[in-house]
Amino acid sequence: MAENDKKIVFSGVQPSGNLTIGNYLGAIKNFSRFSEEYKTFYCVVDLHAITVRQVPAELRKRTYETLALYMACGLDPQKNTLFVQSHVPQHAELGWILDCYTMFGELSRMTQFKDKSAKNAQNINAGLFTYPALMAADILLYQTDIVPVGIDQKQHLELARDVASRFNLLYSDTFKIPEGYIPQDTMKIMSLQEPTAKMSKSDPNENAIVYILDSKDDIMRKFKRAVTDSDTCVRYSEDKPGVSNLMTIYRAFSGKSFDEIEREFDGKGYGDFKMAVGEACADGLKDVREEFARLIADKSHLEAVMKAGAEEAYGYARRTMSKVRRKIGFVN
Ligand code: TYM
């Protein structure tokens, strides 16, 4: 298919912490499935990350690491546009413009804002509040068709669609209305310590999170300590959130179905089951870990990838922005 006829995919990950198997299974692992047939943009969203205080040296380090992880998870920079959000100034520009078409009431209803402001009570800044308008800008700048994300981003995505429709209605068709791609099987990986809450890279309890780059020993230890229940039966059920979450992770890494997993551990205790989940997870991430170690050692290659990605993204973003500026009535 000619490059210009391809549908567009956009997604982003914040370089705000070490990435988890939630980020991997809910989002990044799915990115490469679009590489052949779509025009894909995968962004390291550093502008979003500063809505929460970051240590500058850490932010810089994680920006490189997130890019290297994209590549280690199978995203070839020849087939995907990989770039850093702050390298393409149109994100901030359209973000501001869309702030003016996003309602206070809409932003007040965002559950992520409510959660994050409860966790960062000393720094409830305006950026944290208007975050979804910047996310809408990321998506709409590229005339995106599909946005692969975990379920926690669904509300933001719906807001992006609403804002795009509002703008189109006011000024005639300007933005493509994007659709989400939310993987049913792995859309919400839960904390290993509190399985009714999402596994989150900002969780202070390290035992709750498995990082993509954890060593096998760490992975095994964390699964061994994972919270289950007082039962002993490996069965998928709403009233068994800990075991069900482990089954979801096991299914994703082993390819086995829930029925097969239940049969495999019939009559066995949770100990064996947890070890099997740990093994499958560590095996599934082994190649990613090795590839990451190779990529992160070559900073100049990563810089060349970011530069080429930003140039490519810039061209697309500029086209949308010139349309937006004209429609709004800015003097050219
Ligand atoms: P972020 O950085 O929090 O997470 C990156 C991706 O990982 C998914 N995810 C999960 N999926 C399943 N289970 C989990 N426990 C889990 N935790 C995280 C997220 O849904 C996300 O897909 N606002 C976004 C970044 C962003 C973006 C965008 C995404 C900015 N602009 C434009 C798509 C399009 C965020 O904070 O993701």
Side-chain angles (χ1 to χ4, degrees):
M1 197 187 288
E3 199 65 8
N4 285 345
D5 299 336
K6 286 184 172 176
K7 287 197 169 182
I8 309 254
V9 173
F10 182 97
S11 197
V13 174
Q14 293 192 60
S16 54
N18 293 324
L19 299 189
T20 73
I21 57 168
N23 299 127
Y24 178 71
L25 297 175
I28 305 172
K29 182 169 179 264
N30 302 309
F31 290 176
S32 59
R33 73 177 60 208
F34 299 102
S35 303
E36 298 294 337
E37 286 173 33
Y38 295 79
K39 171 76 194 155
T40 54
F41 293 90
Y42 296 120
C43 184
V44 180
V45 292
D46 54 351
L47 298 176
H48 280 93
I50 62 164
T51 54
V52 172
R53 288 281 172 270
Q54 303 291 336
V55 176
E58 288 278 301
L59 178 62
R60 201 169 292 122
K61 177 167 160 272
R62 287 189 174 130
T63 301
Y64 282 99
E65 288 176 353
T66 307
L67 181 76
L69 254 185
Y70 275 169
M71 291 158 68
C73 291
L75 295 175
D76 175 351
Q78 303 297 329
K79 294 184 180 165
N80 304 271
T81 303
L82 308 180
F83 72 106
V84 176
Q85 189 183 27
S86 66
H87 292 175
V88 181
Q90 288 92 342
H91 287 258
E93 186 182 2
L94 185 60
W96 167 256
I97 291 172
L98 295 184
D99 276 348
C100 304
Y101 298 84
T102 308
M103 300 301 138
F104 181 86
E106 287 175 314
L107 293 170
S108 309
R109 283 193 291 277
M110 294 291 122
T111 55
Q112 189 164 304
F113 171 69
K114 291 184 210 168
D115 289 351
K116 285 204 175 172
S117 43
K119 284 185 193 149
N120 298 283
Q122 72 303 348
N123 181 25
I124 307 178
N125 60 69
L128 193 65
F129 187 62
T130 61
Y131 179 114
L134 179 61
M135 179 162 158
D138 300 339
I139 298 168
L140 302 179
L141 262 182
Y142 299 94
Q143 304 294 345
T144 300
D145 294 279
I146 298 174
V147 185
V149 280
I151 192 85
D152 62 324
Q153 297 301 317
K154 188 166 181 245
Q155 198 184 26
H156 290 163
L157 191 61
E158 276 164 8
L159 184 70
R161 289 166 54 91
D162 290 345
V163 172
S165 304
R166 183 172 303 144
F167 194 100
N168 287 352
L169 206 65
L170 278 167
Y171 300 107
S172 81
D173 261 3
T174 309
F175 298 120
K176 178 83 71 64
I177 310 294
E179 300 284 343
Y181 175 92
I182 297 175
Q184 287 308 306
D185 290 354
T186 51
M187 62 189 177
K188 194 172 187 187
I189 301 299
M190 310 307 257
S191 153
L192 297 191
Q193 291 298 316
E194 201 187 326
T196 48
K198 184 186 83 162
M199 183 182 286
S200 159
K201 53 180 159 335
S202 59
D203 192 326
N205 182 354
E206 295 257 317
N207 285 321
I209 316 162
V210 178
Y211 297 114
I212 302 177
L213 297 174
D214 267 347
S215 67
K216 180 164 183 181
D217 284 351
D218 283 340
I219 294 177
M220 297 305 288
R221 182 175 44 79
K222 288 176 181 179
F223 279 111
K224 206 165 165 183
R225 291 190 188 164
V227 167
T228 45
D229 50 44
S230 55
D231 196 9
T232 53
C233 170
V234 175
R235 182 170 48 83
Y236 191 89
S237 162
E238 241 173 59
D239 59 1
K240 292 167 74 69
V243 170
S244 299
N245 185 43
L246 294 178
M247 287 178 73
T248 299
I249 296 170
Y250 189 46
R251 175 175 65 176
F253 282 112
S254 70
K256 295 174 185 169
S257 69
F258 285 154
D259 280 350
E260 285 172 309
I261 298 170
E262 287 178 7
R263 275 200 302 277
E264 184 179 351
F265 295 99
D266 190 20
K268 296 184 189 158
Y270 287 156
D272 286 353
F273 170 55
K274 288 180 180 180
M275 287 299 97
V277 183
E279 290 280 350
C281 174
D283 285 356
L285 294 173
K286 185 167 169 281
D287 291 350
V288 174
R289 244 182 351 253
E290 287 173 3
E291 191 57 11
F292 175 84
R294 196 181 66 74
L295 288 160
I296 202 69
D298 189 352
K299 215 168 157 188
S300 58
H301 177 54
L302 294 174
E303 282 166 355
V305 169
M306 325 182 159
K307 184 163 181 282
E311 279 166 10
E312 171 84 3
Y314 186 89
Y316 278 76
R318 206 182 48 160
R319 248 174 282 158
T320 298
M321 274 320 296
S322 88
K323 214 158 125 182
V324 169
R325 298 170 128 270
R326 186 165 34 81
K327 297 221 182 180
I328 291 179
F330 291 166
V331 173
N332 221 339

